């Protein structure tokens, strides 16, 4: 149940906002301060699930997009399309 809740909070990053899945996990690993190789929801213990859930819920999507791809987002914010 807890891992399912983390997926509900995290998966829209790559499913809806089309952030590449590896980059979404890269952001999450950095936010959680764990190695990228250890950052997969199926590997999380209970405390890591609660931590990931809190991070995903409190971080605005725009902030995550800025972290994942700052150059593309700057063009978007300026109204410039590549």
């Amino acid at each position: 149940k807890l891992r399912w809740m983390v997926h509900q909070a995290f998966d829209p990053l790559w499913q809806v906002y089309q952030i590449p899945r590896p980059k979404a996990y890269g952001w999450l690993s950095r936010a959680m301060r764990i190695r990228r190789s250890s950052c997969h929801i199926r590997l999380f213990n209970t405390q890591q699930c609660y931590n990931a859930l809190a991070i995903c819920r409190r971080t605005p999507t725009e902030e995550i997009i800025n972290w994942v791809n700052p150059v593309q987002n700057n063009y978007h914010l300026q109204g410039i399309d590549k």
Side-chain angles (χ1 to χ4, degrees), residues 26 39 62:
C39 189
E62 185 176 319

Side-chain angles (χ1 to χ4, degrees), residues 18-80:
Q18 298 179 349
I19 295 172
R21 207 168 174 183
K23 287 193 175 203
Y25 271 106
W27 163 78
L28 185 59
S29 69
R30 186 174 174 120
M32 292 179 67
R33 297 181 177 165
I34 62 174
R35 291 184 177 168
R36 172 60 187 92
S37 60
S38 301
C39 189
H40 197 285
I41 295 166
R42 69 178 162 79
L43 301 176
F44 289 173
N45 63 32
T46 301
Q47 186 57 45
Q48 288 172 317
C49 284
Y50 281 117
N51 189 23
L53 191 57
I55 289 167
C56 289
R57 286 180 173 172
R58 76 171 177 244
T59 308
T61 304
E62 185 176 319
E63 183 178 318
I64 299 166
I65 292 170
N66 283 337
W67 184 88
V68 169
N69 200 349
V71 173
Q72 180 180 353
N73 195 51
N74 285 340
Y75 283 118
H76 174 70
L77 291 175
Q78 295 170 11
I80 302 169

